């Protein structure tokens, strides 16, 4: 199975998703471009979980965790997630790239 990919801009707005993202989540590309990925939140992760994610990313470090998200139809799915900052030529974090490998159907 292909891994889903999300790329966001520096303001955490989605600028790209691949076809695997569309298949896994049920959302089409046109529905998600420009949105913050938080619409996928399942509500099962604590605020601390997201604090740790942002602490890593704002320090230029990749973040790895199992993440439970919600599909368009409301069903939950678990993904092994890696989010990495993408830096522009000056070294400033310009985008974030998330890669997810689904753990369950």
């Amino acid at each position: 199975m292909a891994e889903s990919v999300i790329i966001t801009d520096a303001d955490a707005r989605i600028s790209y998703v691949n076809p695997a993202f569309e298949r896994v989540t049920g959302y089409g590309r046109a529905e998600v471009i420009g949105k913050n990925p938080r619409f996928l939140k399942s509500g099962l992760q604590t605020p601390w979980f997201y604090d740790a994610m942002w602490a890593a990313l704002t320090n230029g470090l990749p973040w790895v965790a199992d993440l439970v998200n919600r599909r368009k139809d409301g069903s939950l799915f678990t993904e092994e997630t890696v989010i990495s900052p993408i830096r522009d030529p000056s070294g400033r974090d310009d985008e974030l790239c998330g890669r997810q490998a689904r753990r369950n159907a």
Side-chain angles (χ1 to χ4, degrees):
M1 170 179 298
E3 296 176 338
S4 59
V5 174
I6 302 173
I7 296 177
T8 66
D9 64 17
D11 294 319
R13 291 181 305 243
I14 296 172
S15 58
Y16 171 81
V17 296
N18 71 347
F21 171 90
E22 294 177 291
R23 284 191 303 275
V24 170
T25 67
Y27 288 98
R29 180 175 289 134
E31 294 177 275
V32 303
I33 298 298
K35 288 187 176 182
N36 184 299
R38 72 173 59 104
F39 71 88
L40 296 168
K41 278 186 175 182
S42 66
L44 298 179
Q45 279 82 220
T46 65
W48 173 86
F49 182 87
Y50 292 105
D51 289 346
M53 177 188 79
W54 284 111
L57 296 173
T58 57
N59 283 299
L61 302 171
W63 179 79
V64 180
D66 283 347
L67 189 60
V68 180
N69 277 328
R70 186 174 306 276
R71 291 182 180 94
K72 187 175 181 176
D73 69 8
S75 63
L76 301 180
F77 62 102
T78 303
E79 296 179 304
E80 178 184 78
T81 302
V82 178
I83 303 174
S84 300
I86 301 171
R87 298 193 173 200
D88 68 13
S90 71
R92 183 177 59 94
D93 290 341
D94 190 40
E95 296 177 307
L96 296 173
C97 179
R99 175 190 56 79
Q100 296 83 26
R102 191 166 50 154
R103 289 226 186 257
N104 61 0

